[in-house]
Amino acid sequence: MEVQHIIHKHPLIFNEQLQNDRTRQDCCWCMETSPIVGSNYSCKECSWFILHKSCAESPRELHHLLHPKHPLILHAHQKWFICDGCNGLFQNWSYYCSHCNFNLDPKCASLRLTKESLCHDHPLTLVRKLLPFTCDFCGEEGEGMFYICTTCPFVVHPNCSSLMTSAEQATIDAEIHDHPLILCGNIYHSYVMLVEREIRQFYFCASCSFVVHQKCISFPKIVKVVRHKQHPLNLIYSLQDGQSHHKVCQICAQIVDTNYGLYYCSSCNFLVHLHCAMTKEERDQTFVPRLKDTKVIEEDPVCERHEKSIDLPPYVVKNSKRGVDGIEIDVEIQHFSHNHHLMLTNEPDINEQCDGLHFDDLFRCNACRRESNGFSYCCEDCDVDLDVKCASISNIFTHDSHVHKLILSSASGLDICSGCDSATQYGFRCGNCKFMLDFKCATLQHSTSYGPHEHPFILCYSAEDDSDGVTSSYYCADCSYPAHLNCILGKFPNIKFGKTYKVDIHEHLLTLVQKTWDHPSCKICKDPCEDLTLECAECNFSAHRSCCV
C-alpha cells in the first residue's frame, strides 16, 4: 500500500514494523524524538524519511474545537511560526486558518481527545482551551492545551502524558548502569549522577539510589572521539582526588565539574564533557567497542603520568616513504579534523631531494587561511588542503608564548584572537584564562631571523595601552627592537618565491615574484600587477598568476 504525503515528493510504502535500512527512526511529521514503534510509512528513495501510520494518513483539512469558526488547512510556512495550541516555535508545516492567522503544529492538531497513560491511574481528557496550568507530572507551568483527569484533580502536559505509554518505558535496562532503572516524576529538587541541576523527571535505581536524567540515559559507557583515536574514553561518574589535576574539557576548553559524569582516558589524562564527546563532529562513529574495551582500566590514582596531560599527535600515519636523505615522509594520514584520509600533495620521488615546494600550484590552507606553495595534505573529494605545519600541530599543545596548555576548540560565537585581534570561532583556547590563538597565530615561528639584522627576533605578546587586549610582534632583546609580524615575515610567509612555471601563453619560463612597489601592467588583462606576479626574466613580460592559469 502506498500514499502520497503532501510534505514529501516520493510515494511512501506501508510497513508493519520499522525497517532496518532506516538512517532515521523518528517521525518527520510530528517530530516526536522517540523511535517509531509499530506500523509506519517510509520512502524507498530517502532512507531518512519515515512517518507514523497515523501521521501519514493525517487529513489535509480538519475542524478543531480549539478553533471552531473556520476549518484548518495544511499549510507550508516559509518562516518560523508559533503554535496556538502549545506556544511552541516551529517551522515548515501547520494546520492554518488564513482568516485568523491561527496555527496548530501537527502534533497538537492530532492529540487524542481521551487517552490512557501510565503516568496516572485514570483516563485523561484533553482540554482544548488556552489556559494556564501547572503540570502535576513535571511541576512546570504551562499555557495551552492539557490533559485532565475528571476523577481527581490531576493535570498534565500532553508531552508528559506520553512519557510513560508502556511498561517497557517505565522500567528499563540501560548501558550506563548495572541495575534496572525506574522512571520517576513530580520530584522538584534532586541531583543526578551525570549532571548537577534541579530536575523534574529522571530514572532511579532502587538498589543503589543511582539517579539519571531521561536525556542522559542513552550515554554509552565507552566512546571514541576523533581527536583522541589512541584509546577509547570511559564514562565515569566523578574524578577522584589525586587522580588528575586536569579539569578542563579537551574539546571545548571549558571547565569540567569532575564531581559528575565525564568521559576519561586514564592513560593520557584526557577528559571531556559528556555532551562534547557525543556531538556529530567529535564522536568517532566508526568505533565499535570490543570486549576488552568494555573493561574500565584501573590504575594507581597518584600515578606520575596523571600529573600532566600528554600532547597527542594530530594524525595517524597510514602510509610513509623514506626519502633519499633518509627522512621518513608521511604520505597518507588520518587527521583528527577530517573523516577521509589526507594525501601529501605530489610527494617527491623516492630518489628526489625534497625542496619543500608544492609542484602543482598555489593553494590556500583551510586552517590558517594563508596562501602557500609548499606541501599540503589534501582530500580531493572534499577540496580540503592543510599545509604541513597546520596538519602537524597537535589539538592540545603548549605554546612558547603562554604558560598553560592550549586546546583546539570551537566556540558557540566568535572569539577574538589574542595575537592578531581577528574574530574566529575555531581556535586554540586556554582553559585557565581568556588567552586564545587562531591557526594563523598558533603556527607562527617562535624565533626567526631577518636579513640585515644580526640577532634573532623572538615572538612576544604585549598588552596594548588603550585596551584590555594583547598584540603580537617580533622583538630583538639584544637591541630592544620591536617589529611588526608582517615586516619580519612578509605578506606571504608560506610562499617560496623564485619558482618557475611553464605556461601555454608564453614561450619562456615564468618566475613567481612579489611586486611591492613597481606595478607593471599585466600583458593579458592590462591591469597593474600587484603582489603575486609571474614575470619573464628574458623579456618584458608580466602577468597576474590568475590570468595564466
Side-chain angles (χ1 to χ4, degrees):
M1 183 169 59
E2 292 187 0
V3 297
Q4 183 65 57
H5 200 277
I6 190 172
I7 71 168
H8 197 64
K9 60 183 179 181
H10 303 135
L12 305 180
I13 309 299
F14 177 74
N15 310 290
E16 291 288 352
Q17 297 293 332
L18 186 66
Q19 302 300 298
N20 294 328
D21 63 345
R22 297 291 95 187
T23 59
R24 177 174 176 171
Q25 298 183 344
D26 56 314
C27 180
C28 298
W29 174 247
C30 68
M31 307 303 288
E32 281 191 4
T33 56
S34 56
I36 291 177
V37 177
S39 56
N40 61 83
Y41 282 89
S42 63
C43 175
K44 271 189 174 181
E45 305 290 332
C46 309
S47 62
W48 54 270
F49 192 87
I50 185 170
L51 301 176
H52 291 108
K53 180 178 181 295
S54 58
C55 291
E57 297 170 354
S58 54
R60 297 195 179 190
E61 178 180 327
L62 58 82
H63 294 268
H64 200 279
L65 290 178
L66 200 59
H67 191 73
K69 292 190 295 183
H70 306 114
L72 302 179
I73 310 298
L74 193 57
H75 176 72
H77 289 267
Q78 302 300 318
K79 298 181 180 180
W80 292 83
F81 68 90
I82 296 176
C83 172
D84 290 293
C86 64
N87 287 323
L89 189 63
F90 298 91
Q91 60 178 337
N92 297 331
W93 298 88
S94 79
Y95 282 98
Y96 176 63
C97 173
S98 58
H99 301 287
C100 308
N101 193 26
F102 181 91
N103 286 286
L104 280 184
D105 73 83
K107 191 171 183 179
C108 284
S110 61
L111 289 174
R112 288 178 288 168
L113 184 60
T114 60
K115 68 184 298 186
E116 301 280 346
S117 174
L118 289 181
C119 71
H120 193 64
D121 295 332
H122 307 134
L124 301 176
T125 301
L126 181 66
V127 177
R128 302 192 200 189
K129 298 290 183 183
L130 302 181
L131 300 172
F133 65 94
T134 299
C135 176
D136 287 313
F137 184 78
C138 71
E140 296 280 358
E141 293 184 357
E143 185 172 350
M145 293 188 293
F146 55 87
Y147 280 101
I148 190 170
C149 174
T150 57
T151 305
C152 60
F154 181 83
V155 176
V156 65
H157 286 115
N159 282 346
C160 292
S161 71
S162 301
L163 288 176
M164 297 170 59
T165 56
S166 68
E168 287 75 20
Q169 287 180 292
T171 302
I172 65 169
D173 292 313
E175 182 183 344
I176 64 169
H177 195 62
D178 296 331
H179 307 137
L181 299 174
I182 303 168
L183 182 62
C184 302
N186 207 23
I187 303 296
Y188 284 80
H189 297 278
S190 186
Y191 293 91
V192 295
M193 301 299 293
L194 293 183
V195 184
E196 176 190 10
R197 66 178 58 172
E198 181 181 294
I199 62 173
R200 296 310 200 281
Q201 301 118 33
F202 58 89
Y203 280 100
F204 174 72
C205 175
S207 303
C208 57
S209 298
F210 178 86
V211 179
V212 62
H213 282 130
Q214 281 181 289
K215 66 179 181 181
C216 297
I217 199 71
S218 59
F219 282 121
K221 276 188 174 180
I222 298 174
V223 298
K224 262 193 178 181
V225 293
V226 294
R227 66 174 69 196
H228 187 73
K229 287 183 176 287
Q230 293 83 352
H231 311 112
L233 307 181
N234 290 295
L235 174 62
I236 61 175
Y237 299 117
S238 65
L239 204 59
Q240 302 302 314
D241 290 339
Q243 191 172 1
S244 173
H245 293 299
H246 202 66
K247 303 294 177 67
V248 176
C249 173
Q250 296 178 51
I251 288 179
C252 72
Q254 301 297 313
I255 297 297
V256 177
D257 188 342
T258 55
N259 294 315
Y260 296 89
L262 58 115
Y263 283 113
Y264 182 60
C265 172
S266 58
S267 299
C268 304
N269 193 19
F270 185 97
L271 60 87
V272 298
H273 291 115
L274 298 176
H275 61 274
C276 288
M278 298 302 290
T279 61
K280 181 180 179 181
E281 296 77 16
E282 295 294 343
R283 187 177 182 183
D284 182 358
Q285 302 291 346
T286 64
F287 172 67
V288 178
R290 297 166 296 178
L291 181 60
K292 67 176 184 178
D293 294 326
T294 60
K295 298 176 181 178
V296 178
I297 301 173
E298 298 291 343
E299 298 190 19
D300 184 354
V302 294
C303 176
E304 183 178 349
R305 64 177 169 176
H306 287 165
E307 293 301 312
K308 60 180 181 179
S309 60
I310 300 169
D311 285 2
L312 300 171
Y315 60 77
V316 176
V317 178
K318 295 298 181 180
N319 190 17
S320 63
K321 292 182 180 179
R322 187 176 296 276
V324 66
D325 49 9
I327 296 178
E328 197 77 17
I329 302 172
D330 301 332
V331 297
E332 182 180 358
I333 63 173
Q334 175 67 69
H335 197 268
F336 76 88
S337 66
H338 196 66
N339 292 331
H340 307 137
H341 289 186
L342 303 182
M343 307 297 296
L344 186 64
T345 51
N346 296 290
E347 70 271 12
D349 186 81
I350 201 74
N351 296 316
E352 184 178 3
Q353 187 77 21
C354 171
D355 67 355
L357 286 178
H358 190 307
F359 295 129
D360 273 350
D361 209 349
L362 292 171
F363 68 95
R364 185 181 294 276
C365 174
N366 287 79
C368 67
R369 309 304 301 167
R370 287 194 182 100
E371 288 191 284
S372 174
N373 60 356
F375 286 117
S376 76
Y377 284 103
C378 171
C379 175
E380 294 184 356
D381 294 334
C382 305
D383 195 24
V384 169
D385 272 294
L386 294 179
D387 67 49
V388 172
K389 183 179 289 186
C390 288
S392 303
I393 188 171
S394 175
N395 54 80
I396 304 171
F397 78 112
T398 302
H399 195 269
D400 291 322
S401 65
H402 196 65
V403 295
H404 307 131
K405 285 187 179 293
L406 302 181
I407 300 169
L408 180 61
S409 58
S410 177
S412 56
L414 295 177
D415 276 352
I416 302 299
C417 172
S418 300
C420 63
D421 282 340
S422 62
T424 182
Q425 185 176 5
Y426 213 55
F428 294 88
R429 291 172 174 80
C430 176
N432 301 89
C433 56
K434 295 182 178 180
F435 188 85
M436 191 274 286
L437 296 177
D438 61 16
F439 258 97
K440 184 173 65 176
C441 290
T443 53
L444 287 173
Q445 302 174 62
H446 180 64
S447 176
T448 188
S449 58
Y450 179 71
H453 198 75
E454 59 180 326
H455 307 129
F457 282 86
I458 307 299
L459 181 66
C460 64
Y461 296 88
S462 58
E464 296 178 336
D465 296 334
D466 57 349
S467 73
D468 296 329
V470 295
T471 184
S472 55
S473 63
Y474 278 109
Y475 184 73
C476 175
D478 297 285
C479 306
S480 299
Y481 185 81
H484 294 121
L485 297 180
N486 281 353
C487 292
I488 297 296
L489 300 176
K491 187 176 180 180
F492 302 100
N494 289 1
I495 291 180
K496 189 172 183 178
F497 292 100
K499 179 183 176 182
T500 57
Y501 290 82
K502 181 71 176 100
V503 296
D504 294 335
I505 62 172
H506 193 67
E507 65 270 23
H508 304 136
L509 290 176
L510 301 181
T511 304
L512 180 65
V513 298
Q514 182 183 8
K515 292 296 185 182
T516 56
W517 58 275
D518 62 323
H519 301 143
S521 296
C522 174
K523 297 299 183 182
I524 299 173
C525 72
K526 309 304 181 184
D527 289 337
C529 291
E530 300 178 4
D531 287 331
L532 299 180
T533 302
L534 291 172
E535 68 176 15
C536 179
E538 299 185 39
C539 59
N540 186 27
F541 181 91
S542 297
H544 297 113
R545 174 187 154 272
S546 58
C547 292
C548 296
V549 175

